[in-house]
């Protein structure tokens, strides 16, 4: 969050216009079974060594954070094997650390690029894994893989039909800088992706026209539920009902509560005399998230460490249909990363 002067605020009378066009609807309560955040699983991402740069998963301020620059292909396969939380039939579930892209350019180290080696490592032989559902690069949490093309196709159709029926299948948990004004509800806004100064940014669109939709503007919708609050922050459940890049981050900015570790969109929230407001999205450049001194003390972080704070957005739960007739639906869970749990402890945020 950025603090601006009163003079700057006077120059931004229309500051909410570009970020407008969103509505807070009536509350939609999260399903009770989605409220639990799980427990530590046996397959935890391991820290390697005790130095500050101890290996691909080592940083004392943020334990469990992936360091891709230290990894070989073989090392990434080892990390992903350690991240397996479930393997049943053709389905393999991983708890992905943040910082790992699912896809990328040719030659880049990504999840997709090592799927052949991972398949062999898990004993699948000639049945190569493919991605069914995954969290984004900076997001931690569940990745669903399948070694059966028919199963993958069945699940992908299930996710598409669920979105059309506005049935949530994924539950994220997030720590936000700020507490939403309403304890629960939904956020609805039209979004577009713009390429500005070499960076792809998601911009809200107020009152989009038919031409806007033809040019890539999409209506987006998310449900949110505040699980706990404290120290000026909140633990929030988020259930996206549409799919758009950075949708959840932008939606929380619209609530004036950017996700902790959001170094892209948090700059669009300004404050004057303790009051938060939205800055124009098109003219606000991404910058490292700025946290106030009281929050830094609670997190036991220096400003330099806070500038490296990972995004506290975790794909915690996926609901899947039964794979056979009359088979009960499944629920997959991914434990929180160590740095996420540390933040909850520092802020006194606990599941109620």
């Amino acid at each position: 969050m950025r603090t601006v002067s009163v003079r700057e605020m006077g120059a931004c009378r229309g500051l909410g216009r570009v970020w407008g066009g969103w509505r807070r609807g009536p509350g939609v309560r999260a399903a009770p079974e989605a409220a639990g955040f799980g427990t530590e699983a046996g397959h935890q991402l391991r820290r390697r060594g005790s130095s500050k740069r101890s290996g691909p998963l080592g940083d004392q301020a943020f334990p469990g954070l992936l360091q891709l620059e230290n990894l070989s292909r073989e090392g990434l396969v080892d990390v992903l094997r350690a991240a397996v939380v479930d393997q049943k039939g053709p389905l393999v579930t991983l708890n992905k650390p943040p910082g790992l892209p699912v896809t990328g350019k040719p030659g880049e180290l990504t999840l997709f690029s090592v799927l052949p080696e991972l398949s062999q490592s898990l004993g699948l032989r000639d049945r190569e894994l493919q991605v069914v559902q995954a969290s984004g690069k900076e997001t931690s949490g569940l990745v669903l893989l399948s070694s059966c093309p028919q199963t993958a196709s069945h699940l992908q159709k299930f996710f598409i039909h669920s979105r059309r029926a506005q049935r949530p299948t994924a539950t994220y948990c997030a720590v936000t800088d700020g507490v939403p004004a309403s304890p629960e509800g939904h956020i609805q806004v039209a979004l577009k992706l713009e390429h500005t100064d070499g960076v792809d940014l998601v911009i809200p669109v107020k009152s989009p026209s038919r031409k806007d939709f033809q040019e890539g503007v999409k209506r987006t919708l998310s449900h949110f539920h505040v699980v706990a609050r404290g120290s000026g922050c909140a633990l929030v459940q988020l259930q996206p009902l549409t799919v758009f890049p950075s949708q959840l981050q932008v939606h929380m900015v619209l609530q004036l509560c950017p996700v902790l570790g959001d170094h892209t969109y948090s700059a669009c929230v300004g404050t004057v005399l303790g009051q938060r407001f939205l800055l124009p999205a098109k003219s606000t450049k991404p910058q490292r998230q700025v946290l106030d001194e009281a929050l830094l003390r609670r997190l036991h972080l220096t400003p330099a460490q806070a500038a490296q704070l990972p995004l506290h957005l975790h794909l915690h739960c996926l609901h899947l249909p039964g794979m056979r007739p009359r088979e009960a639906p499944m629920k997959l869970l991914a434990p929180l990363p160590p740095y996420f749990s540390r933040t909850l402890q520092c802020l006194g945020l606990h599941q109620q």
Side-chain angles (χ1 to χ4, degrees), residues 31-51:
E33 65 269 20
F37 287 130
T39 58
E40 294 298 320
H43 295 288
Q44 283 291 341
L45 297 179
R46 301 185 298 273
R47 292 189 64 195
R48 306 180 181 184
S50 59
S51 63

Side-chain angles (χ1 to χ4, degrees), residues 62-193:
F62 310 117
L65 196 61
L66 185 68
Q67 296 174 350
L68 268 181
E69 67 273 15
N70 291 351
L71 279 178
S72 62
R73 292 179 65 89
E74 295 78 10
L76 179 55
V77 172
D78 289 343
V79 168
L80 294 176
R81 282 197 63 185
V84 172
V85 293
D86 189 57
Q87 184 173 356
K88 182 179 180 182
L91 298 180
V92 175
T93 309
L94 306 178
N95 190 4
K96 184 184 80 68
L100 176 63
V102 176
T103 61
K105 299 176 182 178
E108 290 183 345
L109 195 59
T110 64
L111 170 65
F112 185 81
S113 72
V114 297
L115 283 181
E117 293 96 321
L118 180 62
S119 303
Q120 292 292 322
S121 178
L122 295 175
L124 298 176
R125 300 181 182 177
D126 57 340
R127 294 176 294 150
E128 187 171 318
L129 290 165
Q130 62 185 95
V131 177
V132 179
Q133 184 89 333
S135 51
K137 176 182 177 181
E138 301 304 331
T139 305
S140 60
L142 287 167
V143 172
L144 181 62
L145 308 172
S146 175
S147 60
C148 172
Q150 290 78 15
T151 299
S153 176
H154 172 69
L155 289 173
Q156 287 164 349
K157 290 178 181 177
F158 164 76
F159 289 128
I160 292 172
H161 292 159
S162 296
R163 285 196 297 271
R164 289 174 179 171
Q166 295 194 348
R167 291 194 302 265
T169 58
T171 299
Y172 291 74
C173 48
V175 178
T176 60
D177 176 18
V179 180
S182 175
E184 58 185 333
H186 68 263
I187 307 161
Q188 184 174 339
V189 64
L191 299 176
K192 67 176 179 179
L193 191 63

Side-chain angles (χ1 to χ4, degrees), residues 249-269:
Q249 290 167 250
V250 173
H251 282 188
M252 293 318 296
V253 165
L254 293 173
Q255 293 282 299
L256 301 177
C257 301
V259 177
L260 205 61
D262 182 353
H263 302 296
T264 303
Y265 299 100
S266 61
C268 291
V269 179

